[in-house]
Amino acid sequence: MRHEIQAPEGATVGDMRQLLDARELSSVELTEAYLERITALDERVRSFVTVTRDIALEHAADADRRMASGETGPLLGVPMALKDLLSTAGIATTCGSRILQGYHPPYDATVYARLRDAGAVLLGKLNMDEFAMGSSTENSALAITANPWDLATVPGGSSGGSAAAVAAGEAAFTLGSDTGGSVRQPASLCGVVGLKPTYGRVSRFGLIAFASSLDQIGPLTRTVEDSALVLSVIAGQDPLDSTSATVEVPDYHALLGEDLRGLRVGVPAEYFVEGTEPGVEAAVREGIAQLERLGAELVDVSLPSTGYALSTYYIIAPAEVSSNLSRYDGVKYGYRSADGADLIETYLSTRDQGFGAEVKRRIMVGTYALSSGYYDAYYLKAQKVRTLIKAEFDAAFERCDVIASPTSPSVAFKIGSRTADPLAMYLSDVFTIPASMAGIPAISVPCGFSDGLPVGMQLIGRAFDEATILRAAHAYERSTEWHMRRPELVWSAGG
Ligand code: GLN
């Protein structure tokens, strides 16, 4: 492993643990290497909106002291970064929006507090679509992040900064959030591993809300093993989030294995339809064939309401947006317009100037769907379809243990190519939204390339059974080389 030290930022969390525990490298040295790499690369990748250099070095020195006194743990001294909607006390948290300009949260998100207890080092905060609404990170009010595999293409979204940072080796791992696909789709487009846990598995305390019945925080990592390590640290009940579940958290890492005999993998016809790029479909089909070679049994399953998931999501999520985003009025924190002559005008011009076009579109759609006379026709009906989607997954999981599909119908697309067409953008999440609606866990794992760009395979699991999708994804990853590829463009240039 010694040769890996030349580029520690390319190593996995597991490898870093070995280097740190063997005292071949201190956390301060590792952190400095990452900070240097961020300086060298991020002008082009633009995944960071804030680099917390001094805080990172403090955290690292603290981790070195903890290690010197004999402590160890999977994430102790390991440098990471967070999507900029996770609250970090005293550190700017923008949510990719102008309206949170100047906002410094007074408290930490539970996931950040848990990572800090585990000794992880905060390198900074990562770019995202404004309020996590989008699939390309182009809706950020702050910057446009580039995909490290081709800087002219998008990294996906809304956790585009989180995915690009891992792909570019700018952080050992990152956290993102997934409401309808925002961890899995950018992971797929950037060739990294992205996990959306079961709704309730990870505390949402301190996560700036988009759609509260769907939002869930998840890790973006180089490998499935790293995903298991990070999930074990951030998962579990939290008295500060009443929707966090009391279900016991297993040691995900200990449950990984390489043999898939006895595992039943469901292949849903509804996820292999026209509209998916042929190169994506071919890579995913080959990925599924590989699962079979590893001992899994393939079964055909049907999820007939899949085609309604996207339109239902675009009622329910905006409805929750119209409520969640009413708190941004320029009074207590964030941006305040100076143009208002009175209170009402101040509210209006603050929201007009503070929110971007996509956020406004969702607030309007959501307010409409909830308004009297339309509530039954849209919101209530959408909730019924949501129940149906969940019931169909339950039925499918009587016949299989894991469901395999493409994560996204396309590889990374050109910056600017979908911004004028919201519906084309929304379709990026057609395969990730159903699992979000059902609240069940799903992971995206690299499964090949098409036109030189990464493709992800999605594995969906039963509620609270992250262990099984991690095990399947790990066995798959061990038997392939996709996760070892590096984007040459930034890999040869930086650090
Ligand atoms: N792209 C989807 C949307 O715009 C999902 C976003 C997300 O998961 N945060 O709503």
Side-chain angles (χ1 to χ4, degrees):
M1 284 289 149
R2 180 77 213 182
H3 60 281
E4 294 259 12
I5 298 179
Q6 304 304 325
E9 58 277 26
T12 66
V13 173
D15 288 343
M16 273 175 224
R17 178 82 272 121
Q18 285 183 16
L19 296 173
L20 290 165
D21 283 347
R23 303 288 183 271
E24 291 197 31
L25 193 70
S26 70
S27 176
V28 168
E29 284 167 336
L30 188 57
T31 301
E32 278 169 348
Y34 274 107
L35 289 168
E36 257 173 53
R37 193 170 169 86
I38 293 167
T39 308
L41 287 184
D42 213 48
E43 239 168 73
R44 290 186 299 146
V45 181
R46 298 177 297 273
S47 30
F48 281 81
V49 293
T50 304
V51 177
T52 51
R53 175 177 294 275
D54 295 345
I55 291 169
L57 291 170
E58 257 172 54
H59 287 175
D62 177 55
D64 283 333
R65 276 191 295 274
R66 284 167 68 174
M67 285 185 274
S69 65
E71 195 180 329
T72 187
L75 305 183
L76 182 57
V78 175
M80 56 86 191
L82 302 173
K83 186 175 183 178
D84 208 22
L85 46 43
L86 294 167
S87 302
T88 42
I91 302 166
T93 300
T94 64
C95 217
S97 183
R98 196 168 174 222
I99 210 151
L100 280 174
Q101 192 177 291
Y103 171 59
H104 292 71
Y107 54 85
D108 286 334
T110 296
V111 287
Y112 177 49
R114 289 196 180 170
L115 288 175
R116 284 297 303 132
D117 285 348
V121 170
L122 180 69
L123 293 167
K125 306 294 293 289
L126 300 161
N127 197 27
M128 54 181 285
D129 284 302
E130 184 175 12
F131 282 94
M133 298 171 201
S135 305
S136 68
T137 311
E138 292 163 293
N139 291 340
S140 168
L142 305 168
I144 290 183
T145 300
N147 188 316
W149 290 92
D150 174 355
L151 299 173
T153 66
V154 303
S158 64
S159 311
S162 303
V166 173
E170 295 176 314
F173 70 91
T174 61
L175 293 188
S177 67
D178 190 310
T179 303
S182 278
V183 164
R184 291 162 283 162
Q185 185 259 11
S188 172
L189 269 50
C190 288
V192 301
V193 176
L195 171 69
K196 181 198 90 76
T198 309
Y199 182 80
R201 183 51 108 182
V202 175
S203 167
R204 291 181 295 112
F205 180 77
L207 164 73
I208 296 177
F210 162 10
S212 307
S213 77
L214 295 153
D215 296 342
Q216 190 60 200
I217 298 164
L220 292 109
T221 53
R222 279 202 171 285
T223 62
V224 177
E225 187 179 359
D226 288 358
S227 188
L229 291 171
V230 177
L231 181 63
S232 288
V233 170
I234 62 172
Q237 209 271 331
D238 175 15
L240 297 171
D241 172 6
S242 60
T243 65
S244 68
T246 50
V247 181
E248 201 187 322
V249 180
D251 179 346
Y252 294 109
H253 189 248
L255 293 172
L256 298 175
E258 301 193 6
D259 184 358
L260 294 184
R261 263 172 301 181
L263 186 84
R264 295 166 306 166
V265 175
V267 183
E270 293 84 358
Y271 285 65
F272 292 88
V273 287
E274 220 185 306
T276 299
E277 290 174 1
V280 169
E281 174 158 347
V284 173
R285 287 209 185 270
E286 173 51 30
I288 293 172
Q290 180 65 8
L291 293 173
E292 192 177 24
R293 288 192 281 272
L294 291 167
E297 180 200 337
L298 304 186
V299 292
D300 290 328
V301 295
S302 179
L303 298 161
S305 299
T306 302
Y308 301 109
L310 191 77
S311 36
T312 317
Y313 171 90
Y314 277 100
I315 299 288
I316 293 173
E320 295 184 26
V321 165
S322 81
S323 161
N324 273 332
L325 271 62
S326 61
R327 73 190 66 169
Y328 302 102
D329 57 9
V331 174
K332 292 207 175 96
Y333 50 83
Y335 173 74
R336 180 190 301 169
S337 164
D339 297 343
D342 57 24
L343 186 63
I344 297 293
E345 269 186 29
T346 302
Y347 288 160
L348 293 176
S349 54
T350 295
R351 288 168 70 82
D352 183 35
Q353 294 160 13
F355 288 135
E358 183 61 28
V359 173
K360 286 179 187 163
R361 181 179 296 122
R362 307 254 182 141
I363 293 173
M364 288 190 281
V365 168
T367 306
Y368 182 83
L370 287 178
S371 56
S372 119
Y374 298 102
Y375 180 95
D376 289 4
Y378 294 109
Y379 185 72
L380 198 64
K381 193 167 231 162
Q383 292 289 22
K384 289 179 181 165
V385 176
R386 184 176 187 177
T387 304
L388 201 59
I389 291 169
K390 183 166 182 313
E392 289 174 3
F393 272 114
D394 288 345
F397 281 122
E398 282 176 13
R399 307 187 50 230
C400 65
D401 307 299
V402 162
I403 292 172
S405 80
T407 303
S408 164
S410 76
V411 293
F413 42 93
K414 290 263 182 279
I415 290 173
S417 64
R418 294 190 190 171
T419 38
D421 184 353
L423 291 185
M425 192 69 92
Y426 294 175
L427 278 167
S428 312
D429 295 290
V430 64
F431 297 139
T432 48
I433 279 176
S436 300
M437 297 291 273
I440 54 182
I443 192 167
S444 179
V445 60
C447 74
F449 286 79
S450 173
D451 297 331
L453 292 166
V455 177
M457 172 167 67
Q458 175 174 239
L459 299 174
I460 306 173
R462 296 189 182 96
F464 295 104
D465 191 15
E466 285 82 1
T468 299
I469 53 173
L470 284 165
R471 186 165 67 90
H474 176 71
Y476 172 77
E477 183 186 82
R478 290 290 101 190
S479 71
T480 59
E481 292 194 330
W482 307 119
H483 64 290
M484 319 256 259
R485 303 257 188 113
R486 304 274 186 261
E488 256 333 292
L489 213 54
V490 296
W491 213 257
S492 47

